[in-house]
Amino acid sequence: MDLFRKVTSIVLTPECYDEYFVEFNFFSAPCFKTTLSKCLGVLLILGAVLVKVPQIIKIFKSKSAVGISISSVTLDLVAITIFLSYSFVKGFPFTSYGDALFLAIQTLIVGVLVLYYSGSPSNATIYTIGYLITCFIMMSGITPIGILWTLQGFNIPILLTGKLTQAYTNYKNGTTGQLSAVTLIMLFGGSLARIFTSIQETGDFMIILTYLVSSSANFVLVFQLWYYWDVELSKKKEK
């Protein structure tokens, strides 16, 4: 039973474990919401391990990053890293922000590939080293929590600028280029789910608002994916 309790602690709080397996009250509304939130958090973390892999593979196989804005990728990486640092230092449950760790790693890889295939291998190296130093400064305790809270507030315009920069690039090119449909759809679904998990597990207004904005911006990119997909199909039919 001790082993079972330890395993279930991933998605069950001690109170909810007692509610379910001691009191046998399986209809507790608060525990249902908490457990659902933690289950979603675990699924999002597992999904985040692969969410940008289709994008990475697409760039690597084509040896091209055409249509991908390095400014958008960098702003996205900055936003993810601020959120990750803020959540880590605040001591929030890992299920409420763990996906950000894997998203940061994969977004960094995307940024490095964009620079590399744009003919700037040295810039790709500098980009990586600069990012790792920044992570150390933000998560090691050197940066005061007050500054991290302020930076989290700036995440909203950073997210909007990054996503809308990519949206503008798509609009200007008349195509979504090397953007991966699977990645965009997973990011959109993940940001929607994070609104619920953030309400349940952190109650932090700034984080909840950030995910609301992120979901709206991701929707714009998913809409463009659908719109330009139809345009490209029409062009192929005409040819």
Side-chain angles (χ1 to χ4, degrees):
M1 288 302 294
D2 286 341
L3 177 61
F4 180 70
R5 188 175 191 125
K6 286 179 182 177
V7 172
T8 57
S9 66
I10 298 171
V11 294
L12 290 177
T13 62
E15 295 78 14
C16 289
Y17 179 90
D18 290 342
E19 196 74 31
Y20 289 145
F21 300 107
V22 177
E23 301 296 332
F24 298 106
N25 178 17
F26 298 105
F27 299 99
S28 169
C31 279
F32 173 76
K33 289 191 289 185
T34 302
T35 304
L36 176 61
S37 175
K38 286 191 173 293
C39 287
L40 279 173
V42 171
L43 289 173
L44 287 170
I45 291 170
L46 292 174
V49 174
L50 299 172
V51 71
K52 291 197 175 184
V53 170
Q55 180 70 82
I56 293 167
I57 291 173
K58 193 170 183 180
I59 297 172
F60 187 74
K61 285 180 71 175
S62 65
K63 300 292 188 291
S64 168
V66 172
I68 299 178
S69 166
I70 186 61
S71 299
S72 175
V73 172
T74 303
L75 287 169
D76 199 23
L77 183 59
V78 168
I80 292 168
T81 306
I82 290 173
F83 168 70
L84 177 62
S85 304
Y86 177 71
S87 300
F88 176 75
V89 174
K90 284 279 285 184
F92 291 144
F94 187 69
T95 50
S96 70
Y97 71 89
D99 51 321
L101 172 62
F102 298 104
L103 284 174
I105 294 169
Q106 291 167 75
T107 305
L108 173 63
I109 294 171
V110 171
V112 169
L113 289 176
V114 170
L115 289 170
Y116 182 82
Y117 287 121
S118 297
S120 305
S122 58
N123 286 346
T125 303
I126 294 168
Y127 191 85
T128 304
I129 295 170
Y131 178 71
L132 294 176
I133 292 171
T134 302
C135 285
F136 174 77
I137 292 170
M138 293 181 71
M139 293 186 223
S140 63
I142 296 174
T143 307
I145 189 64
I147 292 177
L148 290 176
W149 186 89
T150 303
L151 289 174
Q152 181 61 32
F154 281 116
N155 245 358
I156 296 172
I158 290 172
L159 271 170
L160 274 176
T161 304
K163 300 290 185 183
L164 295 181
T165 297
Q166 183 62 62
Y168 177 71
T169 300
N170 296 341
Y171 171 75
K172 190 170 65 173
N173 294 339
T175 177
T176 51
Q178 294 300 319
L179 287 176
S180 165
V182 175
T183 295
L184 286 179
I185 292 168
M186 287 179 72
L187 285 173
F188 177 54
S191 60
L192 281 177
R194 272 296 174 210
I195 297 171
F196 174 72
T197 62
S198 298
I199 292 170
Q200 289 298 315
E201 297 198 55
T202 71
D204 192 298
F205 173 75
M206 195 67 75
I207 290 179
I208 296 165
L209 183 60
T210 300
Y211 275 118
L212 282 167
V213 171
S214 177
S215 297
S216 302
N218 281 328
F219 172 76
V220 172
L221 293 176
V222 171
F223 174 78
Q224 284 188 318
L225 182 74
W226 167 79
Y227 179 78
Y228 289 120
W229 195 299
D230 280 355
V231 170
E232 288 174 7
L233 284 176
S234 297
K235 285 181 180 177
K236 286 178 182 178
K237 285 179 182 178
E238 285 175 9
K239 287 180 181 179

